[in-house]
Amino acid sequence: MLLIHCPYCKDDRPELEFSNAGEAHIVRPTNMSDISDTEFEAMFFMRDNPKGIALERWRHAHGCGRFFNVARNTVSDKFLKVYKAGEPRPSDAEIEELLK
Amino acid sequence: MVEATPTKRIAPAEGFRVANSVVSIETAKPASRISLRATSAGARSFEKSLNFALPRKPAETASAKGRHALWLGPDEWLLIDEANPDDSMVPRLPNKQFSAVDVSHRNMAFIVAGPGAAATLNAACPRNLSLAAFPVKTCSRTVLGKAEIVLYRTARDTFRVECWRSYAPYVRDLLAIASKDAHI
Amino acid sequence: MTPSSKQPYRAKSHGALNHARTVRFTFDGKPYEGLEGDTLASALLANGVHLMGRSFKYHRPRGVMSAGVEEPSALIGISRDKSNSGARVQPNVRASVQEIYDGMNAVSQNRFPSLNFDLGAVNSLLAPFFAAGFYYKTFMWPRKAWDKVYEPFIRRAAGLGESPTETDPDRYANRFEHCDVLIIGGGAAGLMAAKTAAAKKQRIILCDENPSLGGWLLADSDVTIDGKSGTQWVKDTVAELQANENVRLLTRTTGFGYFQQNMVGLVERVTDHLAQPDMDLPRERMWQVRADKVVIAQGAIERHLVFADNDRPGIVLAGAAQKWLNQFGVTVGNNVGVFTACDTAYAAAFDLYEAGTHIAVIVDQRATVDQALLEQANELGIRVMPNAGVVGVTGKLRINGIKVKTASGSEETIEVDALITSAGWTPSLHLYSQSRGKPIWDEASQRFLPGQSPQACVSIGACNGTNDLATTFAEAAKATGGRAPKLEIENDVSLAGGTIGMASESAETGKAFVDFQNDVTAKDIKLAVREGMHSIEHVKRYTTNGMATDQGKLSNMHGLSIAAKMLDKPVPEVGLTTFRAPYTPTTFGSFVAHARGTLFDPSRKTPIHEWAQENGAEFEPVSLWQRAWYFPRPGEDMHEAVDRECRTVRTSAGVFDASTLGKIEVVGPDAAAFMNIMYTNGWDKLKPGRAKYGIMCREDGFIYDDGVVGKLSDTRFHVTTTTGGAPRVLNHMEDYLQTEFPDMQVWLTSTTEQWATIAVQGPKAREIIQPLVTGADISAEKFPHMSVVECQVCGVPARLFRISFTGELGFEINVPADYGRAVWEAIWERAEPAGACAYGTETMHVLRAEKGYIIVGQDTDGTVTPHDAGLSWAVAKSKPDFVGKRGLQRPDLTASGRRQLVGLKTSDPKKVVQEGAQIVADPEQAIPMKMIGFVTSSYWSGTLERSIAMAVLEDGFARMGETLYIPMEDEVIEVEVEGTVFYDPSGEKING
Ligand SMILES: [Zn+2]
């Protein structure tokens, strides 16, 4: 069982309190009705599923209830960074750094 | 036409109590409760009706005169009024900065007390309940087995376990069986 | 007779059980005596019994090999029930671990009719057919033989022992625990680590799989620590730790799994060693420990030597013999031979000699042997044969001699009644490897050693490859932040040396076992390599080496070495298979713990549940809820009860417990704006006091949930969801609110359980509830269909809806849940005299189907859009955006040929079709037929006196009036397509 740091509770909490909520930084377009089928496909269906750093959303469902983002190494299952919803996506350079 | 006799209130697991040499588990008395969601301005505004300050830091609680405010999330508090179980604390006037929803009947609570209280809870709650990690007067929403609970440590050896009413039999039976192992 | 005379191999001068109580037990029905503290193995050995089981594949007679958890052969069944009910039967218990107790009933396994004479041993003659890869080769062809011949054969052959036939009556406990330091293993290393950590006031858990702490020190009669014997040092140290309130000592507790972030699973066996366990005790206790630091002190496991017939009863590991002697006071024989490749076996031999056992010979594989050992043997008159090997044995059920071959090639047979062997010691890397640490090959000592774990853990002592006690103590102290203690240690025996692979050329031709539990021989490994298995992972799967429940604790290194030699590759290039949890077999019960019976899942019940129970309701589970299904009267079956309930609602009224419906309070100035996003409908024009049926889609345009929403004020909505959908709908809404629309001033609160919800439906609904309502005018004019009002019912605050899921005049009364039962009873007091009934979910389903109201999840399956469901009227056309709007425009969702929700009527009105049945246009077409839809809902409608059904059907809306067919196993049912509203199509009743 993982220990996950919640950026809102500012504490490490057992995995049982959390639920995964899929890939992070997929922004719902504000002009949703106008996007093309290809854009919709990319937004709704296509996911990266990388080996290495995955940027994911988690929810502290049985805790503070907040959604937040994490950078998780899918190989080691380590949470390398947690950050609040709305904070910017880590840069590629930062991701490189996290992988070390 | 109002009923001549007052409508009977039946709370879940009323009168339940088990105890052994290290822990006792009993149903808490009925209380009124509010689920408060608010912006920071809303929290300030709500405090005026409460007469004490809402806790602002994770896991903190504040209490006065049988009323307790529990920090559950950055914009969420659970308010429990043990003194006035039939009187909702919901402010009469609507406010644009907060949502106060009466959940008095949604929740119920057990009081788990005694030197084996933490061990009893740890049969199914994965949290570190040492005094250092979960000090007196702190609280958290968490899990107990397959039930979601709000855990509130009211004293060194006393926890209030809030759960939704339909989970009460499950939580009751789980705590009761866990209490058999609490001396270890 | 005195116990000692019944236990001829009990050495009175040795062991810690001298004054122990006599314990009586049976093995294969025969009574035996042992001493309290004995394992089953030591007690049987004390009685001169070596033969304890039959092997898995060849049914070869097997004795006990080891004195610990690594035991591959002596697997027995224990029945712990006095009544032999079959509930407390446990197969595959290691005799070397199981403690005896009074009345214990142990049986050997894998033999018929008896251990001494086993018909299955004929398999031994078929050995050529059972070689490596046998299953893969033999059972491949012909395909037809698989079901009738091969699978039953494999099933019968697979697995040892008998499974319990009854539900496990025992209780299992669980505990989540946190500590500063978790120490796994309570031998010299673990105890020293604990002692050091305790001095620093750290919270410590120390666990050990044995009944007593001390590890190898309990079996070593020679070593002294500061002048004390090893056992005395253990006694003093344990006493010191026991007195420390920060230390938790767990014996009979196995650290079986190392998981992420220093979470380690321990299983404590609480009652398996007790004759009359206290009923309040759990059988086992699972400890899920999260430690800041883990100290692994698992020790090392002695390997056997690989030579022909090395599995014969009477052949045991040297360390095991030493442990049985020094801990239990049991000798393995009267005339013992020794075959070794390292020094520790000499200590075992000398101890046995001291206990009065004759040592027939020490055969040492090594050309040069330590001079001091040779001198000591010489002094005792023990013959040592260096540079020699055991190439075979005589005796089948028990050895009576060994064949020894010297380097010069001369062979001689030496009479023995037991043989102790040692190929050296393998550091236990199981938990280190599970922590995701990589084993590192040490060429000099020919073993894998732990390196740096990615987790906060450290390995110390023998599992770290440390061979002596002084270094072990220093490592242990350092591991917990202390200094190396200054202790005078004498007579310590080094664990260094040994061999891996085949011990003599006899292994090339004879049956030289590498893996005893799976009957894998050296020849099998060589065959696997010859047949192209070049990685140890392949060799392992092809031969099943190391795949038994002992996980190759004895066999892995030998198998690896044999493969490496054949491939002419260094060992690490052939690889070491990954160690996985559990370290030793772990019961399902300990994982399940309390989660069984009524505690398997919460069983959610409404405040009105008990009334329904008292009034004879049958219940059905709906998600975690138990819902009243129907209320049969005496003599009624389900069909009759539902028929009556339906008719009563339509002609009079019915009362229904709808409390399980999900409820969400949506509050805030942006409440309507948020509802506009989450639902397909428009919410701007809805006035306070009015309610609306809402549909929620996912972004892809498919229906996700539905429910009636009441607007209480401009800033407050009372949203209802389906019973099963409540948690995911709230999660879905929170997700959008928090992450896509965080600037909206609106908040969501689950109120499902705040309210008890009582539906009163039917022509008499109003007259039943009217006198109970205060603070609201519920007349038809003032309170039309789809209204909501906050008022009082029975004097308690209520939210009263006028809504209908039946097509009749209907109300839903929400009152605070504690009042639910009383308000229900007040309504019932008026309803019953009015001729109304209580009804359950089945009647609710029939009534709604008669009106064509959908149930999300029954008439929709995640691929149905609101348009497909005939609910286009509920999809706002003018809203700029809502979740699902863009998805609904996708080409596939607007193309023709979509499956659309329609009504079906069977040509024979008495015929009720099956839900899920497939629909075809032409029943005469060839199989496989083209299926153009399926039935989603199907009922007998008592009101209409015929069957009704709903179905999703390709281009269904355009097929009205068409005749279609439902082919079943024994008939073809003819149906006609029509609309979904079967009853009161004009809707006049609902507005009554
Ligand atoms: Zn949190």
Side-chain angles (χ1 to χ4, degrees), chain C residues 512-818:
Chain C
F513 287 90
V514 174
D515 185 316
F516 290 80
Q517 208 182 92
N518 270 354
D519 272 350
V520 180
T521 63
K523 279 194 291 185
D524 289 326
I525 307 241
K526 298 187 77 164
L527 179 64
V529 173
R530 273 204 305 278
E531 294 192 345
M533 311 298 143
H534 291 180
S535 147
I536 198 64
E537 294 288 353
H538 293 148
V539 171
K540 168 178 170 171
R541 281 158 185 80
Y542 203 60
T543 61
T544 69
N545 189 54
M547 287 177 72
T549 59
D550 64 350
Q551 290 200 39
K553 290 184 178 70
L554 299 180
S555 64
N556 278 345
M557 292 308 297
H558 287 318
L560 188 54
S561 169
I562 294 167
K565 281 220 173 76
M566 269 201 81
L567 291 164
D568 200 21
K569 275 186 183 172
V571 167
E573 276 182 38
V574 182
L576 178 66
T577 56
T578 315
F579 294 102
R580 299 193 195 283
Y583 169 64
T584 52
T586 306
T587 62
F588 285 118
S590 63
F591 285 98
V592 171
H594 46 67
R596 56 190 294 197
T598 57
L599 290 176
F600 174 67
D601 249 345
S603 174
R604 304 177 70 182
K605 288 166 187 148
T606 75
I608 297 148
H609 184 90
E610 282 176 28
W611 186 93
Q613 229 166 7
E614 289 157 22
N615 285 273
E618 295 290 332
F619 292 87
E620 69 162 340
V622 181
S623 65
L624 291 179
W625 290 98
Q626 288 294 317
R627 300 196 70 180
W629 194 10
Y630 57 97
F631 290 78
R633 292 198 173 148
E636 278 183 346
D637 62 15
M638 177 175 176
H639 176 77
E640 290 159 344
V642 171
D643 237 29
R644 171 183 52 73
E645 289 173 15
C646 286
R647 264 183 284 110
T648 310
V649 174
R650 294 260 182 252
T651 55
S652 166
V655 191
F656 175 70
D657 180 4
S659 303
T660 64
L661 276 188
K663 302 166 204 81
I664 298 166
E665 193 109 324
V666 178
V667 181
D670 294 326
F674 182 66
M675 291 297 291
N676 275 332
I677 289 291
M678 297 314 302
Y679 283 81
T680 62
N681 321 61
W683 300 90
D684 292 329
K685 289 180 192 147
L686 190 70
K687 296 203 163 56
R690 297 292 291 162
K692 192 166 184 166
Y693 169 73
I695 300 175
M696 174 178 273
C697 283
R698 300 197 321 168
E699 208 67 82
D700 54 15
F702 296 128
I703 295 175
Y704 191 57
D705 204 75
D706 70 347
V708 170
V709 178
K711 188 171 184 179
L712 300 170
S713 76
D714 284 333
T715 58
R716 190 175 290 256
F717 289 84
H718 177 114
V719 173
T720 68
T721 74
T722 58
T723 293
R728 64 180 155 83
V729 168
L730 183 57
N731 186 68
H732 179 75
M733 289 168 88
E734 275 288 350
D735 193 348
Y736 275 91
L737 179 55
Q738 288 184 32
T739 64
E740 300 294 349
F741 303 96
D743 295 330
M744 281 193 177
Q745 292 270 84
V746 56
W747 295 276
L748 314 169
T749 306
S750 172
T751 51
T752 303
E753 299 232 41
Q754 168 67 13
W755 304 104
T757 306
I758 302 161
V760 186
Q761 303 271 314
K764 291 185 181 173
R766 188 183 288 111
E767 70 171 75
I768 290 169
I769 68 161
Q770 189 136 41
L772 305 175
V773 178
T774 47
D777 180 349
I778 61 166
S779 64
E781 306 74 47
K782 290 284 164 58
F783 199 59
H785 182 52
M786 300 309 267
S787 296
V788 59
V789 65
E790 291 185 276
C791 60
Q792 290 85 42
V793 174
C794 302
V796 301
R799 287 180 180 174
L800 178 58
F801 284 77
R802 179 161 169 207
I803 45 175
S804 172
F805 201 43
T806 58
E808 303 296 333
L809 165 67
F811 298 89
E812 279 186 17
I813 300 163
N814 293 276
V815 291
D818 282 357

Side-chain angles (χ1 to χ4, degrees), chain C residues 880-902:
Chain C
D881 190 14
F882 60 83
V883 175
K885 183 178 169 79
R886 178 61 188 81
L888 283 169
Q889 296 160 14
R890 289 186 291 145
D892 283 359
L893 271 59
T894 51
S896 65
R898 291 211 50 85
R899 289 189 168 184
Q900 295 163 331
L901 193 71
V902 296

Side-chain angles (χ1 to χ4, degrees), chain C residues 7-320:
Chain C
Q7 299 173 45
Y9 291 87
R10 193 68 74 175
K12 281 190 165 175
S13 54
H14 285 67
L17 309 183
N18 298 341
H19 303 290
R21 210 171 52 80
T22 298
V23 169
R24 290 176 177 79
F25 66 99
T26 65
F27 179 59
D28 281 344
K30 192 176 168 194
Y32 289 98
E33 288 185 351
L35 297 176
E36 192 168 36
D38 262 328
T39 61
L40 178 60
S42 70
L44 286 172
L45 290 171
N47 287 279
V49 176
H50 273 258
L51 176 63
M52 294 187 198
R54 286 273 174 174
S55 77
F56 176 51
K57 212 155 66 177
Y58 303 127
H59 291 240
R60 283 172 68 103
R62 289 280 164 82
V64 63
M65 286 284 302
S66 76
V69 296
E70 65 272 32
E71 177 58 33
S73 292
L75 303 179
I76 42 115
I78 301 277
S79 169
R80 289 183 295 124
D81 276 308
K82 294 266 179 296
S83 60
N84 277 328
S85 70
R88 287 189 171 94
V89 170
Q90 175 140 7
N92 302 329
V93 174
R94 287 148 301 175
S96 54
V97 172
Q98 174 67 48
E99 295 163 70
I100 56 166
Y101 52 81
D102 265 320
M104 179 191 211
N105 173 8
V107 291
S108 60
Q109 301 182 153
N110 216 32
R111 84 292 190 267
F112 177 83
S114 80
L115 197 50
N116 286 317
F117 178 74
D118 174 25
L119 286 175
V122 72
N123 280 3
S124 237
L125 304 174
L126 303 173
F129 301 103
F130 283 105
F134 161 68
Y135 291 100
Y136 300 110
K137 292 171 192 162
T138 311
F139 295 131
M140 292 304 287
W141 186 91
R143 170 65 187 82
K144 272 191 175 160
W146 178 258
D147 300 337
K148 297 254 156 59
V149 183
Y150 299 155
E151 192 181 329
F153 175 85
I154 291 173
R155 285 196 185 284
R156 192 165 49 82
L160 287 162
E162 298 285 319
S163 297
T165 53
E166 306 290 320
T167 306
D168 188 343
D170 285 319
R171 187 167 73 78
Y172 296 79
N174 179 68
R175 178 73 65 81
F176 291 98
E177 187 64 280
H178 296 75
C179 64
D180 298 320
V181 187
L182 168 67
I183 301 163
I184 303 160
L191 287 173
M192 180 55 80
K195 199 174 151 92
T196 319
K200 299 167 74 87
K201 299 207 182 338
Q202 292 184 304
R203 290 210 309 162
I204 302 160
I205 296 174
L206 182 149
C207 71
D208 192 284
E209 61 199 359
N210 295 295
S212 316
L213 297 172
W216 186 248
L217 288 177
L218 302 180
D220 187 336
S221 60
D222 300 324
V223 72
T224 60
I225 302 162
D226 265 356
K228 283 183 207 172
S229 71
T231 44
Q232 189 60 45
W233 183 85
V234 168
K235 211 176 268 181
D236 295 347
T237 308
V238 170
E240 181 186 320
L241 292 171
Q242 265 164 348
N244 189 320
E245 60 169 9
N246 288 325
V247 181
R248 189 190 278 284
L249 301 178
L250 298 172
T251 52
R252 298 187 181 91
T253 304
T254 305
F256 68 85
Y258 200 127
F259 306 98
Q260 294 110 329
Q261 287 159 291
N262 268 8
M263 168 154 275
V264 181
L266 319 175
V267 165
E268 181 183 5
R269 289 167 296 282
V270 182
T271 62
D272 270 6
H273 63 291
L274 300 174
Q276 304 277 351
D278 180 343
M279 287 312 287
D280 261 358
L281 288 175
R283 180 180 173 217
E284 292 182 346
R285 187 179 290 119
M286 169 80 80
W287 294 84
Q288 301 190 51
V289 180
R290 180 86 65 182
D292 286 350
K293 181 166 200 170
V294 175
V295 176
I296 304 174
Q298 280 196 288
I301 292 173
E302 193 173 20
R303 294 182 303 276
H304 63 291
L305 283 161
V306 181
F307 59 93
D309 292 332
N310 59 345
D311 64 327
R312 291 300 187 205
I315 303 176
V316 304
L317 292 167

